[in-house]
């Protein structure tokens, strides 16, 4: 019987991020994937203007209520972009309603990047997101989100010992496992994790690429969630997520660097070309 996960985040109809990467990638990992859209946008907001936006906050409790009548069980719950404090509070209720002993809850606390909060978010939102992170099993912030969750100054790069300190502080929020993404290690780039139940740290890196690319954080969080639901340890899930994300970046670079902007994939990575790699990575989980 297939494992089942629900991913709760927006649908950006064009741009390859959020639900439009989570659904195909987690499905390719052999996990039945349900979705709850928090909003529908014509495109993502990175580099596009004039996009449409429809808030679906009012629909989320109704979907959850219907699912309860169906007695649906989820092996995993994975949240991404949540657009308001109200949505974060609804997610807390959703966790309580659908969590069971074997449910893995992953929160990607999407709030900002490169030292800045995304448009429309406020410090109050970070307070609510911190509470939600305390109800998760695994959280996966970037360094901007770490600064918001811990109330510390943003630093683009930190020594590994400082990263370890932040990871331990993140687990003190209430989540047993914390992952920090976007960590530089010389000419490498990756993520570091801490499991507070064992006191163990794990790291995975690949070659650093200077070009910024949209959607890679969503790809990482989606693959991390899928691997954990498939039964991977946090160490193995971290490795799979870092390696697959790096694969998609490497696959995109030739077109990004050589094609004119109107033809280049500046809006998202070409993950479709790497799905075979992901299938192979998943085969290693139970080996």
């Amino acid at each position: 019987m297939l494992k089942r996960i629900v991913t709760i985040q927006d649908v950006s109809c064009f741009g390859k991020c959020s639900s439009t990467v989570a659904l195909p990638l987690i499905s390719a990992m052999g996990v039945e994937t349900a979705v709850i859209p928090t909003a529908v946008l014509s495109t993502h907001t990175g580099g596009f203007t004039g996009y449409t936006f429809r808030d679906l906050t009012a629909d989320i409790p109704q979907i959850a209520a219907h699912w309860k009548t169906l007695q649906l069980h989820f092996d995993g719950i994975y949240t991404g972009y949540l657009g308001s404090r109200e949505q974060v509070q609804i997610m807390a209720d959703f966790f309580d309603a659908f969590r069971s002993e074997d449910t893995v809850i992953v929160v990607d606390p999407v709030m900002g990047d490169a030292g800045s909060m995304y448009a429309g978010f406020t410090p109050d939102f970070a307070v609510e997101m911190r509470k939600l992170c305390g109800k998760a099993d695994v959280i996966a912030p970037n360094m901007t989100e770490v600064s918001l969750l811990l109330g510390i100054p943003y630093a683009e790069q930190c020594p590994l010992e400082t990263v370890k300190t932040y990871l331990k502080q993140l687990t003190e929020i209430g989540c047993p496992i914390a992952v920090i993404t976007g960590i530089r290690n010389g000419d490498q780039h990756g993520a570091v994790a801490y499991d507070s139940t064992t006191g163990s740290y794990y790291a995975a890196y690949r070659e650093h690429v200077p070009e910024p690319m949209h959607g890679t954080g969503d790809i990482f969080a989606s693959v991390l969630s899928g691997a954990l639901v498939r039964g991977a340890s946090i160490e193995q899930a971290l490795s799979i997520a870092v390696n697959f994300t790096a694969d998609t970046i490497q696959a995109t670079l030739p077109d990004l660097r050589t094609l004119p902007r109107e033809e280049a994939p500046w809006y998202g990575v070409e993950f479709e070309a790497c799905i075979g790699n992901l299938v192979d990575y998943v085969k290693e989980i139970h080996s």
Side-chain angles (χ1 to χ4, degrees), residues 10-11 37-42 51-57 59 87:
D10 70 279
V11 176
T38 58
V40 176
L41 295 82
S42 54
Y51 49 83
T52 66
F53 177 90
R54 182 172 296 275
D55 185 355
L56 299 178
T57 301
D59 296 87
Q87 287 190 354

Side-chain angles (χ1 to χ4, degrees), residues 157 183-190 205-210:
Q157 297 184 43
I183 300 298
R184 286 287 301 275
N185 180 25
D187 60 354
Q188 295 184 311
H189 203 140
Y205 300 102
R206 285 276 293 270
E207 177 187 355
H208 173 68
V209 173

Side-chain angles (χ1 to χ4, degrees), residues 254-267:
D255 285 345
L256 189 67
R257 288 174 171 173
T258 60
L259 294 176
R261 180 177 170 83
E262 62 271 17
E263 299 176 20
W266 60 267
Y267 50 84

Side-chain angles (χ1 to χ4, degrees), residues 6 34-36 63-72 74 94 98:
V6 55
V35 299
I36 295 181
I63 294 170
H66 182 219
W67 284 1
K68 286 301 289 184
T69 68
L70 301 176
Q71 299 182 334
L72 294 183
F74 294 102
F94 187 91
F98 286 92

